[in-house]
Amino acid sequence: MLSHHPNTVALNAIGHTRWATHGVPAERNAHPQIGGNGELAIVHNGIIENFQELKKSLLAKGYVFRSETDTEVLAHLIAEGRKHTGSLLEAFAWALRQAHGAYAVAMLCPEEPGTILAARMAAPMILGIGVGEHFVASDIPAFLPYTRDVVFLQDGEIVRITDHSWEVLALDTLNPVQKSIQTIQWDMQSARKGGYKHFMLKEIFEQPQVITDCLTGRIDEEHERILLPELDSLPVPARLHIIACGTSYHAGMWGQHLFEDWARIPVIPEIASEFRYRNVILEPDDMVLVISQSGETADTLAALRLARERGCLAIGLCNVVGSSIPREANAVIYTQAGPEISVASTKAMCSQMVILSLMALYYAQRKRLLDPQTRHEALKALKALPDQLALSLPSMRETAQKLIQPYSAARSFFYLGRGHAFPLALEGALKLKEISYIHAEGYASGEMKHGPIALIDPEFPTFAIALDDALFPKVKSNIVEVQARRGPVIALTNPGTELHVDHLWTIPAAWGPFSAFLALPAMQLFSYEMADYLGKDVDQPRNLAKSVTVE
Ligand code: AGP
């Protein structure tokens, strides 16, 4: 931020409340990070993918590192840039051109007091135009109390601000870029939600970016190999117990299919509160994978401790860096999904599924089980998901808004799915009940005839996940069974399938099990629109907490 008041020197300052992605939350890893011998300071949001190789080269040049952050690497690289260029701006650009990944970065340097240099690549950054003061920030709420005039920046642009001037330059050429000033009409609360009505809706629409961030640095494009260095020092599990609660448990159930199919690793999904009180059998070569967005869920943490007491190696799959589970696991993989504010988990499950996909491919790679073609198809499909989902979300929301009308009076719902879609059915049901308070049962559709089908009647609608996969014919039969008992049916399906139901909801297909990444947000939006239509407190549903840190 830069400001100037008469009879005083220009004040300029940088600061960052970082969502930790590298290094535990500790003072040494806090921002700003210092470059060189104190020649400059930077704050950074994002992930520098190639920070390890850059760090190695800087260490060889004698740079001393005080933190575990990727940000400090960038700071020293800019300092190194001063030795190869004629100005601070050129050094800044020189360094950024070598950094791969995502960054929104701002820099102060005593060499140019009163100036802030900033830049963005695959991470948000906005310029605020004040009177006698200018701002750069990741998000509008940071400076909304001071100015409503903003300049939206694009990837590959550098900003240079002083207290009385601002300019935008192209990172690659340093040529000026023409930009227009826009005026924000939002109030502060709307601004925190990025203009969305609820955090849940914002987080549903963040899922394309979440998938991109999850994949960042984890695929060696040249060799089409999965990079999960967090797991390299651990053995491949002979058997894997996936332990979690709620939505995270559903993600683990979904991942089971991939671990078994691609890596041929037997998997036992476990509800943490059950696992911790059973006399479980853990063989010497077994491992556990505990999945927890918060990293603080009491039952999941207790299950991790039990497994560790039994001598079992434990991997954490978490979103919150430095939380309890990562501190007590043998290894942790972070989902890098950013803060999830809504109590109902949406983007967290999406990010967990991305990491589970990568883990299954990684173990298959280590066991030399996966043929190159399948791995190629899987990686190609994963990388295509962000754009595919970004394109689909708006129309999904429109469909959800239309679909809830005829079903808003329902007292109870069936959610049916088979195979990969069974965990999705459980998750769809959980979403509906936890935010709209309409009872819903997720069921394996093949199980319906063993009792629950007695529930079917015209007042008991079924949400059937009938994706275009090998089990589609079976699900289609189950739908017919429901219709024979006059149960209304919404079918979530893909183009090309043939179904005759009350409401057909067709969404794009993705390769193999990855259609789940399109089905999941559709159900999230159905629940969101239903809850909003019914006037429920979507972000803070009654009786619920974001993290269940007690039994
Ligand atoms: C899901 O919408 C809920 N927020 C809840 O089921 C949650 O997934 C569960 O409590 C587990 O939380 P965790 O991932 O933080 O461990």
Side-chain angles (χ1 to χ4, degrees):
M1 183 270 275
L2 259 183
S3 69
H4 177 73
H5 299 287
N7 311 323
T8 62
V9 293
L11 162 77
N12 57 335
I14 55 174
H16 187 27
T17 50
R18 186 178 206 203
W19 177 261
T21 54
H22 289 72
V24 294
E27 192 165 329
R28 66 181 180 281
N29 293 327
H31 290 205
Q33 286 288 316
I34 305 302
N37 294 314
E39 293 105 84
L40 58 98
I42 70 170
V43 291
H44 159 235
N45 181 32
I47 298 157
I48 304 298
E49 207 175 295
N50 59 332
F51 83 99
Q52 295 284 21
E53 63 188 84
L54 293 171
K55 183 169 185 174
K56 204 180 295 178
S57 146
L58 290 163
L59 282 166
K61 291 184 171 80
Y63 285 88
V64 176
F65 285 81
R66 290 169 288 274
S67 80
E68 297 106 59
T69 66
D70 53 343
T71 306
E72 188 182 11
V73 173
L74 193 52
H76 287 321
L77 191 61
I78 298 166
E80 176 64 16
R82 280 304 282 116
K83 300 171 187 167
H84 304 274
T85 60
S87 71
L88 187 62
L89 172 66
E90 287 169 317
F92 188 58
W94 177 87
L96 292 177
R97 291 179 197 130
Q98 297 176 65
H100 304 154
Y103 54 77
V105 59
M107 178 177 76
L108 279 185
C109 177
E111 183 186 321
E112 292 189 16
T115 296
I116 288 179
L117 289 177
R120 63 157 284 175
M121 181 65 76
M125 177 178 274
I126 293 155
L127 172 57
I129 308 298
V131 176
E133 58 186 4
H134 296 319
F135 311 83
V136 285
S138 299
D139 209 344
I140 288 167
F143 54 64
L144 194 61
Y146 311 104
T147 181
R148 289 183 173 277
D149 291 339
V150 304
V151 172
F152 289 99
L153 302 169
Q154 303 305 318
D155 286 351
E157 291 181 343
I158 286 181
V159 180
R160 175 159 54 189
I161 59 175
T162 68
D163 58 326
H164 58 277
S165 68
W166 61 273
E167 60 178 329
V168 178
L169 308 153
L171 170 64
D172 50 0
T173 62
L174 294 184
N175 291 336
V177 177
Q178 288 307 311
K179 305 295 277 188
S180 59
I181 297 177
Q182 302 186 46
T183 301
I184 296 297
Q185 305 303 334
W186 294 334
D187 61 28
M188 176 56 90
Q189 192 60 336
S190 307
R192 285 187 63 224
K193 296 170 192 165
Y196 289 100
K197 187 175 179 183
H198 296 101
F199 281 108
M200 182 177 176
L201 190 60
K202 174 173 180 268
E203 288 155 10
I204 290 172
F205 276 79
E206 282 177 347
Q207 289 178 116
Q209 186 60 46
V210 162
I211 296 171
T212 298
D213 291 348
C214 267
L215 295 175
T216 297
R218 291 174 166 148
I219 298 175
D220 167 359
E221 298 289 351
E222 188 187 347
H223 305 100
E224 285 211 324
R225 292 182 60 76
I226 310 304
L227 304 173
L228 289 176
E230 303 92 334
L231 302 181
D232 287 348
S233 62
L234 297 182
V236 175
R239 187 171 65 155
L240 189 65
H241 304 257
I242 299 183
I243 309 169
C245 301
T247 290
S248 297
Y249 170 66
H250 299 152
M253 284 181 71
W254 181 82
Q256 174 187 21
H257 291 268
L258 279 58
F259 279 97
E260 292 181 344
D261 191 9
W262 295 342
R264 306 306 295 154
I265 295 174
V267 170
I268 305 172
E270 296 266 13
I271 292 173
S273 54
E274 290 296 307
F275 177 86
R276 65 183 289 200
Y277 292 111
R278 222 179 48 242
N279 188 11
V280 292
I281 296 171
L282 291 173
E283 304 294 353
D285 296 340
D286 285 6
M287 285 170 65
V288 301
L289 170 66
V290 289
I291 304 175
S292 176
Q293 188 282 132
S294 62
E296 299 297 349
T297 298
D299 287 321
T300 311
L301 182 56
L304 165 64
R305 287 171 176 162
L306 170 63
R308 295 294 322 274
E309 281 158 22
R310 297 282 194 88
C312 212
L313 287 173
I315 303 165
L317 172 48
C318 296
N319 192 34
V320 181
V321 176
S323 52
S324 298
I325 286 175
R327 288 203 305 271
E328 300 192 27
N330 295 93
V332 60
I333 299 180
Y334 286 112
T335 49
Q336 300 168 172
E340 186 175 65
I341 310 300
S342 169
V343 166
S345 193
T346 53
K347 65 174 183 175
M349 181 167 178
C350 173
S351 65
Q352 291 162 352
M353 288 163 60
V354 172
I355 301 299
L356 289 164
S357 305
L358 291 175
M359 286 181 74
L361 291 167
Y362 168 83
Y363 282 128
Q365 181 178 282
R366 277 186 61 175
K367 295 175 72 175
R368 293 183 171 72
L369 284 180
L370 205 57
D371 64 278
Q373 185 54 30
T374 303
R375 189 169 60 199
H376 172 76
E377 291 297 330
L379 293 178
K380 191 172 130 206
L382 272 176
K383 289 183 284 189
L385 280 173
D387 289 345
Q388 191 179 16
L389 186 54
L391 281 172
S392 308
L393 281 168
S395 59
M396 278 185 188
R397 186 176 180 204
E398 284 168 22
T399 305
Q401 286 168 329
K402 290 185 195 116
L403 260 185
I404 57 159
Q405 302 296 336
Y407 295 96
S408 58
R411 302 291 301 141
S412 193
F413 259 87
F414 232 164
Y415 276 73
L416 298 183
R418 272 183 184 257
H420 305 117
F422 171 37
L424 301 180
L426 294 174
E427 176 60 14
L430 175 62
K431 283 285 139 329
L432 187 71
K433 53 191 155 191
E434 70 174 328
I435 63 173
S436 73
Y437 315 147
I438 296 174
H439 172 257
E441 282 212 55
Y443 237 87
S445 56
E447 263 295 283
M448 217 184 27
K449 54 187 168 298
H450 300 285
I453 200 163
L455 289 167
I456 302 294
D457 68 25
E459 307 306 314
F460 188 92
T462 292
F463 192 112
I465 305 168
L467 301 175
D468 186 11
D469 58 24
L471 293 172
F472 171 76
K474 302 287 182 190
V475 177
K476 183 171 182 176
S477 306
N478 299 143
I479 289 172
V480 170
E481 290 159 22
V482 170
Q483 292 173 312
R485 291 150 181 86
R486 297 180 303 128
V489 175
I490 300 170
L492 187 66
T493 190
N494 299 133
T497 58
E498 196 190 320
L499 282 170
H500 302 289
V501 294
D502 302 84
H503 291 93
L504 195 63
W505 186 352
T506 302
I507 57 172
W511 175 86
F514 296 157
S515 287
F517 288 97
L518 285 302
L520 182 65
M523 293 190 291
Q524 291 164 354
L525 287 165
F526 181 78
S527 302
Y528 170 80
E529 295 300 342
M530 183 71 85
D532 189 38
Y533 177 77
L534 295 173
K536 306 303 182 190
D537 184 352
V538 172
D539 282 334
Q540 296 289 339
R542 68 187 183 196
N543 312 330
L544 295 185
K546 182 59 186 166
S547 175
V548 183
T549 56
V550 293
E551 273 209 67

